[in-house]
């Protein structure tokens, strides 16, 4: 990272302000478009591309995690294709289409996949940016990690300049000459509402909390369990934040002083570091020019390059299914992809190399109203192994937390059975004996 927190872009693009029609016309009739992820997805620009679908012969969109449904899904196969690196609920109605597919990808590898010579090399990057200030400075705003480096390498970069996009410090700080074309579209950012925290999530948070002491640097994902954990840490001191995202639950922890990033190490000393900001409008206003937050490229937020520099790093992940050997499936339920690897393998591996690092997988013990155990003898047939058994460390449910690192397979099976739901423990024990 440069001393001012910016990635060195090539800075030689035209940076011309154009109409939406002109921007769309610059996209080749046969091209691959990478759409920025999370709350930074340029939905207005994507809608304009969709409205002009008749001019394209074959246009493939590639995206990571999306918060809302993009308009081009209305014309899959005529002429659009969509490839997801991390499918979300926003893409649910596209599953089953022959023109929609999934490429499982680690977040830290997005740039490698979509960049030059990658398997999904993009012809066009479509992203958002904040308007230029009096000094001509702009920011990629709430989404940086997946595409900031592509500003230097992609043949065509189109920015949707949105007055509602905050200026966020870090590697996403830029100037108009980092873009080929600028189109002004004023639209609300996609939001991620805080999760509903129930009794199960609070119980899990209690078990997880014993591993988060003063001076811990924490990474967390999306959902009720991480929100419950974050809300329980108000009495901690000198916490750090480093990971995939900053969300609404981080505001109180940072403003109260519980998070000061004092002991995290050289990367982001004194500031909270992430790849993206996802939450409500309150959060987007709070991060605007806030020196307490910096966004960085994925190789720093998720990659070994960054995580190895952090002290006392605790990675908090969830999963949909864990086998008795400690392997986990976080992507497929009932033969259907509901997510991708995302940051889970990045952070699980990173915790193994960080000084004092621990990797926690926290999940409810059951699904489907208690009928299905999330702890199973073996992973679902055909399901991917998102986290292999050899990175298993700490696992928590509402019934407790167990430590698997260094344990034999027989010991792991016994420990995991002990935190399964009581209604399913006998069946798991029978499988172990059988």
């Amino acid at each position: 990272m440069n001393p001012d927190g910016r990635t060195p872009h090539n800075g030689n693009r035209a940076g011309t302000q154009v109409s939406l029609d002109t921007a769309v016309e610059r996209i080749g009739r046969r091209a691959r478009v990478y759409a920025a992820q999370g709350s930074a997805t340029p939905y207005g620009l994507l809608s304009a591309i969709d409205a002009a679908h008749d001019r394209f012969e074959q246009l493939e969109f590639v995206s990571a995690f999306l918060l809302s449904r993009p308009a081009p899904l209305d014309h899959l196969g005529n002429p659009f294709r969509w490839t997801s690196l991390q499918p979300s609920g926003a893409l649910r109605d596209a599953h089953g289409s022959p023109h929609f597919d999934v490429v499982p990808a680690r977040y830290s590898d997005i740039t490698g996949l979509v960049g030059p010579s990658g398997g999904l090399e993009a012809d066009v990057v479509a992203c958002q940016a904040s308007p230029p200030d009096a000094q001509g400075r702009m920011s990629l705003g709430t989404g940086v990690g997946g595409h900031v480096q592509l500003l230097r390498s992609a043949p065509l970069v189109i920015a949707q300049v949105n007055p509602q996009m905050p200026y966020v410090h870090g590697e996403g700080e830029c100037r108009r000459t980092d873009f080929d074309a600028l189109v002004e579209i004023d639209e609300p950012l996609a939001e991620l509402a805080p999760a509903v925290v129930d009794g199960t999530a609070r119980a899990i948070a209690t078990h997880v909390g014993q591993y988060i002491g003063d001076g811990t640097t924490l990474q967390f994902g999306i959902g009720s369990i991480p929100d419950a954990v974050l809300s329980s840490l108000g009495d901690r001191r000198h916490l750090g934040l480093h990971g995939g995202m900053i969300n609404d639950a981080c505001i109180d922890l940072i403003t109260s002083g519980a998070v000061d990033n004092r002991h995290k190490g050289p990367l982001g000393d004194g500031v909270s570091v992430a790849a993206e900001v996802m939450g409500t409008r309150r959060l987007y206003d709070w991060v605007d020019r806030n020196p307490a937050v910096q966004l960085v490229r994925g190789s720093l937020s998720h990659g070994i390059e960054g995580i190895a520099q952090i002290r006392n790093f605790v990675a908090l992940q969830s999963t949909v299914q864990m086998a008795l050997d400690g392997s986990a499936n976080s992507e497929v339920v009932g033969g259907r992809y509901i997510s991708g690897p995302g940051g889970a393998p990045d952070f699980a591996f990173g915790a193994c190399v960080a000084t004092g690092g621990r990797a926690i997988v926290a999940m409810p013990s059951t699904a489907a109203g208690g009928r299905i155990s999330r702890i199973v003898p073996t992973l679902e047939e055909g399901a991917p192994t998102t986290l292999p058994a050899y990175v298993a460390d700490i696992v928590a449910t509402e019934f407790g937390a167990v430590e698997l690192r260094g344990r034999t397979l027989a010991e792991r099976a016994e420990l995991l059975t002990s935190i399964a739901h009581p209604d399913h423990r006998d069946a798991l024990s029978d499988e172990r004996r059988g």
Side-chain angles (χ1 to χ4, degrees):
M1 187 185 301
N2 284 351
D4 65 356
R6 298 183 64 230
T7 295
H9 303 310
N10 60 12
N12 61 2
R13 298 185 187 272
T16 306
Q17 186 166 340
V18 300
S19 68
L20 258 177
D21 288 345
T22 299
V24 172
E25 287 171 1
R26 294 193 62 176
I27 300 172
R29 294 184 180 276
R30 301 181 66 87
R32 180 180 288 130
V33 178
Y34 179 77
Q37 65 286 336
S39 57
T41 306
Y43 288 100
L45 177 56
L46 294 179
S47 293
I49 296 172
D50 176 64
H53 64 272
D54 287 341
R55 73 173 299 274
F56 297 106
E57 296 175 18
Q58 182 70 60
L59 206 64
E60 179 185 9
F61 294 90
V62 179
S63 69
F65 183 84
L66 297 182
L67 288 170
S68 299
R69 184 183 184 279
L73 292 187
D74 291 338
H75 294 99
L76 285 182
N78 183 31
F80 300 143
R81 290 187 55 83
W82 201 286
T83 299
S84 177
L85 306 180
Q86 188 174 6
S88 64
L91 302 177
R92 186 171 293 117
D93 66 348
H95 287 270
S97 167
H99 309 288
F100 174 86
D101 215 335
V102 174
V103 173
R106 293 175 293 114
Y107 189 102
S108 63
D109 196 32
I110 290 176
T111 298
L113 283 171
V114 187
S117 302
L120 294 170
E121 182 175 356
D123 304 296
V124 183
V125 172
C127 59
Q128 289 204 68
S130 65
D133 63 15
Q135 289 74 43
R137 295 172 301 196
M138 304 171 69
S139 168
L140 293 178
T142 57
V144 169
H147 62 281
V148 61
Q149 291 175 285
L150 299 178
L151 269 60
R152 292 180 292 179
S153 59
L156 176 64
V157 180
I158 303 174
Q160 173 178 307
V161 180
N162 186 353
Q164 300 193 46
M165 176 62 77
Y167 186 107
V168 184
H169 293 295
E171 293 191 304
E173 293 177 272
C174 52
R175 293 184 178 273
R176 62 186 310 129
T177 50
D178 291 311
F179 309 100
D180 294 291
L182 305 172
V183 293
E184 186 168 336
I185 300 177
D186 187 338
E187 68 176 1
L189 302 187
E191 296 190 19
L192 177 67
V196 176
V197 176
D198 58 14
T200 298
R202 283 189 287 270
I204 295 170
T206 299
H207 298 306
V208 169
Q210 64 183 301
Y211 298 100
I212 305 174
D214 292 348
T216 295
T217 294
L218 183 65
Q219 174 274 327
F220 60 92
I222 295 173
S224 61
I225 294 173
D227 281 9
V229 171
L230 291 173
S231 67
S232 72
L233 301 178
D235 62 345
R236 306 299 199 276
R237 292 295 176 264
H238 308 309
L239 295 176
L241 294 176
H242 177 101
M245 59 180 279
I246 299 291
N247 69 3
D248 283 71
C250 298
I251 299 177
D252 291 340
L253 281 177
I254 295 173
T255 57
S256 70
V259 168
D260 61 15
N261 295 285
R262 184 180 297 179
H263 300 301
K264 69 190 300 186
L267 180 60
D269 186 27
V271 298
S272 296
V273 172
E276 302 180 37
V277 174
M278 286 195 288
T280 66
R281 188 66 235 180
R282 172 184 176 238
L283 175 68
Y284 303 150
D285 291 338
W286 182 79
V287 298
D288 187 33
R289 298 189 181 274
N290 189 334
V293 174
Q294 284 192 1
L295 298 189
V296 299
R297 61 188 183 272
S299 62
L300 280 181
S301 61
H302 290 66
I304 297 298
E305 171 189 0
I307 298 173
Q309 302 178 50
I310 299 173
R311 295 189 293 266
N312 300 319
F313 179 70
V314 172
L316 175 60
Q317 304 291 323
S318 191
T319 193
V320 297
Q321 189 181 62
M322 175 164 283
L324 290 176
D325 65 356
S327 59
N329 157 34
S330 304
E331 303 168 61
V332 169
V333 173
R336 181 186 182 91
Y337 273 90
I338 61 167
S339 187
D346 287 325
F347 294 124
F349 282 96
C352 293
V353 301
T355 301
R358 303 301 301 265
I360 301 174
V361 175
M363 61 184 177
S365 63
T366 61
R371 297 189 304 275
I372 298 174
S373 176
R374 290 180 180 265
I375 296 176
V376 295
T378 59
L379 298 183
E380 176 182 329
E381 184 177 357
T385 301
T386 309
L387 298 177
Y390 59 80
V391 299
D393 187 6
I394 299 164
V395 182
T397 72
E398 68 270 32
F399 295 104
V402 295
E403 301 188 29
L404 303 185
R405 182 183 290 180
R407 299 288 189 172
T408 67
L409 293 176
E411 290 171 332
R412 290 181 175 204
E414 183 176 357
L415 287 168
L416 288 170
T417 299
S418 74
I419 60 169
H421 193 284
D423 291 349
H424 298 281
R425 289 178 191 170
D426 287 346
L428 290 170
S429 295
D430 290 345
E431 288 284 348
R432 285 162 42 210
R433 289 191 293 266

